[in-house]
Amino acid sequence: MVHAALACGLPEADLEAARAGQASLPDVVWGQLGRVRRWLLVVDNADEPHELGPAGEPVADYRGWIRPYGRGLLVVTSRDGSEQT
């Protein structure tokens, strides 16, 4: 997703700030994806939902890598059939 955000114009300085802990990397990436149109991201085999967001938070809190907004299309596939997920 970082590569997609860079391809959509994410400034390297913003990425480096997030990597240095000055901002949330998912927030920076989704902020950039919210500024551009017509992108498609596919997250395939997201079978470990706890790896998609901050520790201890459900995916449905939308603070990690899976979020319901943007100006493109996000497709997520998973074999996790848990109702809690």
Side-chain angles (χ1 to χ4, degrees):
M1 292 187 71
V2 170
H3 292 291
L6 287 169
C8 290
L10 176 66
E12 284 281 343
D14 292 355
L15 176 59
E16 291 308 315
R19 286 184 172 155
Q22 298 168 351
S24 160
L25 185 57
D27 288 349
V28 168
V29 168
W30 277 103
Q32 182 62 32
L33 294 176
R35 288 189 279 280
V36 296
R37 299 177 141 231
R38 301 182 57 112
W39 47 262
L40 168 66
L41 290 173
V42 178
V43 178
D44 192 25
N45 295 327
D47 298 331
E48 301 293 333
H50 64 276
E51 295 179 3
L52 300 173
E57 292 187 25
V59 174
D61 282 354
Y62 303 124
R63 291 185 0 96
W65 291 108
I66 305 302
R67 299 189 182 191
Y69 59 88
R71 299 178 73 186
L73 179 63
L74 173 65
V75 177
V76 180
T77 69
S78 178
R79 290 191 263 323
D80 182 330
S82 168
E83 288 184 25
Q84 286 87 12
T85 304

